[in-house]
Amino acid sequence: MNEVSKKVLFVSQYVAPQLVGGNNNVYRQAFTLKHTHGVDVEILTWPERDHWTGPLPDSSEPSTVPYIRWLHEGLTFHIIQLPSKLLERVPTERDWREAVEIGCKLLKEIKPAIVHLQHWRGLWWILEAAKRLLIPTVYSPHDWGVGCLRTILVKGEGGMCDGIVGISKCSRCIVHGRNLAGRANEFIVSSPVGERMLKALGRSKVIDRWLTKNDAVRIGVNNRVTLNLTRANSILSSLHALVVPNEFAKRYYLQFGIARDRVFVHPWYYDLTAPINHGRPDRQAVVLGFIGRISSEKGVRRIFEALQSDSIAFPIHLVIAGAIDSAYAVQLLSEYRHKVGRHSVEWMGWIPHHSVNTFYQKVDAVIIPSDCIENGPLTLIESFAFKRPVIITKTPTATDLVQDGITGYLVSFGSTESLTQVIAKVCGNPEGLLKLRNNLPPVSSSIEYTESVKRVYETVLSEANNPNNGSDGRY
């Protein structure tokens, strides 16, 4: 295949080189593609509530789109600021058209040969812009948000979704998942009069900011779902390649019309930050840990609830690593600062990627008690890289990699009792956990993962240059 000598544009939020409160997966992909594989990668980002630490464009300048170009560690960033209305979960048709027009202008200026979307939030309209300009598109989904307006594939009334989308089904799920104020909002916009009223109020910049800040919806739920699924089908069915980390993700995205031979399954990667500690310190208590975002959909409270059970006969030590940057996290810290029942608790706070080994050196196993279906999850890959078995919620994405009792333990979705039973089983047998380490599968490095991505690019460019494929590749 031809070497990738043309520009690839990563489009994503959450691309800070040293991302605080999250995983800098996207930046490390771009860095490795650029510096190891020689791919001409640049990054387009809109830093908006995503822990960006780099420079920002001057939004006071009389420009349609405030913009700054930043060179960092050999990577070119194109940093933009956009109207907050474009962060709406489902922009109005007028706002969507405006976003696509902005995207076309940006792409004509940057001139990429491939547009590669990573995180969709606030920016997925760029794929529609690229489609109009006949620029090949690639998407690496990090969650389910393009198709699922709740993002997490959990039904509003509780329980896992089967991942099959539909207007009536998804609309009902969304309304059931909203609180009292949210349902009142849905009631208002469910009528044409109410929808027109909120659109009119949104013309005031002050009211518009207030509505956006409070996540108010301005389009009725059926209309929102219809608009979103129409856009998703248009964009995803036209992709030149979709790179997903597991078979469930492949099945999920195939329903949007993408050709099966354009879907590439490559599990996420991890680069070790220190040598693996294969042994176990001379201690009696089992040490279990959680690392990641401390939020409700991650199911962190469920760990503390499980540890309050009398059925866990032996005291354990629990280590929690993650930013204390939300009301949810602060509340858990205040309730369980040092102890939960007979068990001790240690809070490590946020750990940057280069120091994450300090967490894994402490723990015998990692608990991943997600109350959602994660598209990975990255913590699972990271745990396997450090040779730590997991106790993980049984979801379709987890069972791709975790064999119960062999590479970890599966617990029932949404069940504190199931989690309690597994913890009780492992805490009396530390050596059993140690033996599981020998069964853990190998994990790809960023070099191996991006080599696969580079091959995807080569395939895409080869097809784009084929005069028989119906595209002349022009802007």
Side-chain angles (χ1 to χ4, degrees):
M1 290 187 182
N2 297 327
E3 287 295 311
V4 179
S5 57
K6 296 182 179 180
K7 185 185 300 180
V8 175
L9 182 66
F10 270 27
V11 181
S12 184
Q13 292 189 326
Y14 311 104
V15 294
Q18 297 297 332
L19 186 63
V20 176
N23 191 301
N24 64 349
N25 171 311
V26 178
Y27 177 78
R28 284 185 284 131
Q29 282 185 60
F31 186 91
T32 307
L33 280 165
K34 175 84 173 182
H35 296 296
T36 301
H37 301 300
V39 179
D40 184 14
V41 178
E42 297 184 359
I43 298 174
L44 172 65
T45 189
W46 173 18
E48 184 67 29
R49 292 181 284 172
D50 68 347
H51 304 288
W52 174 255
T53 53
L56 293 171
D58 184 357
S59 56
S60 66
E61 289 292 320
S63 172
T64 306
V65 178
Y67 165 87
I68 189 174
R69 185 175 179 273
W70 180 48
L71 186 64
H72 178 80
E73 294 187 332
L75 279 173
T76 296
F77 286 78
H78 304 271
I79 307 161
I80 56 174
Q81 292 288 91
L82 298 172
S84 60
K85 63 183 179 180
L86 299 187
L87 270 179
E88 287 285 332
R89 188 63 185 80
V90 182
T92 65
E93 291 191 84
R94 179 179 178 178
D95 291 342
W96 180 263
R97 287 195 299 270
E98 180 182 341
V100 173
E101 288 171 6
I102 290 171
C104 288
K105 290 177 182 177
L106 289 167
L107 294 178
K108 287 178 181 178
E109 182 68 26
I110 298 170
K111 293 183 170 54
I114 293 175
V115 171
H116 187 165
L117 180 71
Q118 297 270 349
H119 292 101
W120 59 268
R121 179 179 176 266
L123 290 164
W124 70 295
W125 39 262
I126 200 75
L127 294 180
E128 180 65 28
K131 175 183 172 183
R132 293 187 184 184
L133 298 176
L134 302 179
I135 303 173
T137 53
V138 179
Y139 179 34
S140 293
H142 293 246
D143 60 27
W144 319 106
V146 167
C148 171
L149 291 186
R150 285 175 53 77
T151 305
I152 55 178
L153 287 187
V154 174
K155 293 183 285 188
E157 60 271 28
M160 282 191 293
C161 175
D162 58 11
I164 300 173
V165 301
I167 294 171
S168 297
K169 174 189 176 184
C170 295
S171 297
R172 183 172 61 253
C173 174
I174 290 165
V175 173
H176 284 173
R178 301 208 66 186
N179 59 20
L180 188 60
R183 292 191 185 191
N185 181 192
E186 296 286 4
F187 177 77
I188 292 171
V189 297
S190 65
S191 70
V193 173
E195 195 171 302
R196 285 197 298 270
M197 180 184 73
L198 275 186
K199 285 181 181 178
L201 289 172
R203 295 191 186 104
S204 163
K205 289 186 178 180
V206 174
I207 296 177
D208 176 70
R209 283 195 296 268
W210 185 88
L211 290 171
T212 301
K213 180 181 178 182
N214 290 277
D215 297 319
V217 295
R218 312 174 203 205
I219 304 173
V221 66
N222 283 334
N223 289 341
R224 293 205 310 281
V225 173
T226 301
L227 269 177
N228 193 74
L229 293 182
T230 299
R231 292 164 182 168
N233 277 286
S234 172
I235 286 173
L236 297 176
S237 65
S238 302
L239 285 173
H240 291 71
L242 177 74
V243 184
V244 294
N246 50 65
E247 290 294 331
F248 177 81
K250 178 178 181 177
R251 294 193 299 272
Y252 174 79
Y253 283 102
L254 280 173
Q255 71 186 305
F256 297 100
I258 185 172
R260 186 176 292 272
D261 63 357
R262 293 189 175 192
V263 184
F264 301 86
V265 180
H266 297 302
W268 290 120
Y269 68 91
Y270 191 76
D271 291 321
L272 286 171
T273 54
I276 299 170
N277 175 11
H278 289 281
R280 185 175 187 274
D282 184 18
R283 60 190 180 216
Q284 291 186 341
V286 168
V287 181
L288 302 179
F290 170 88
I291 183 169
R293 189 170 68 253
I294 303 174
S295 56
S296 58
E297 75 276 7
K298 298 293 186 180
V300 188
R301 178 172 287 279
R302 196 175 300 284
I303 302 173
F304 294 97
E305 292 173 347
L307 291 177
Q308 294 180 62
S309 172
D310 292 334
S311 63
I312 300 176
F314 298 92
I316 72 159
H317 184 59
L318 176 66
V319 180
I320 304 290
I324 311 298
D325 59 358
S326 67
Y328 180 89
V330 170
Q331 182 63 35
L332 285 177
L333 176 62
S334 66
E335 290 181 46
Y336 308 106
R337 185 176 294 273
H338 302 295
K339 293 183 70 67
V340 49
R342 70 181 74 182
H343 314 288
S344 56
V345 180
E346 176 183 351
W347 297 83
M348 294 185 71
W350 167 249
I351 305 175
H353 176 253
H354 60 79
S355 300
V356 76
N357 61 292
T358 59
F359 166 80
Y360 286 96
Q361 288 169 356
K362 291 175 180 284
V363 302
D364 298 311
V366 179
I367 305 178
I368 309 174
S370 303
D371 282 339
C372 63
I373 300 177
E374 300 202 54
N375 192 5
L378 288 170
T379 302
L380 170 58
I381 302 299
E382 185 176 86
S383 299
F384 279 4
F386 279 103
K387 296 299 179 184
R388 294 301 184 267
V390 297
I391 299 171
I392 189 169
T393 302
K394 186 178 181 180
T395 65
T397 57
T399 52
D400 261 16
L401 291 171
V402 180
Q403 296 175 277
D404 195 33
I406 298 175
T407 56
Y409 294 97
L410 299 169
V411 300
S412 301
F413 187 90
S415 173
T416 301
E417 180 181 358
S418 179
L419 178 58
T420 302
Q421 291 171 354
V422 170
I423 293 175
K425 179 166 62 175
V426 304
C427 71
N429 185 20
E431 293 306 315
L433 281 177
L434 192 60
K435 290 178 181 178
L436 292 188
R437 296 183 187 180
N438 298 324
N439 304 328
L440 301 183
V443 172
S444 296
S445 67
S446 61
I447 293 176
E448 294 166 322
Y449 179 83
T450 51
E451 176 63 37
S452 299
V453 173
K454 181 185 175 184
R455 288 197 295 270
V456 171
Y457 294 157
E458 290 167 349
T459 299
V460 166
L461 289 175
S462 176
E463 291 178 355
N465 292 329
N466 182 349
N468 297 318
N469 71 354
S471 170
D472 62 6
R474 292 179 296 175
Y475 291 20

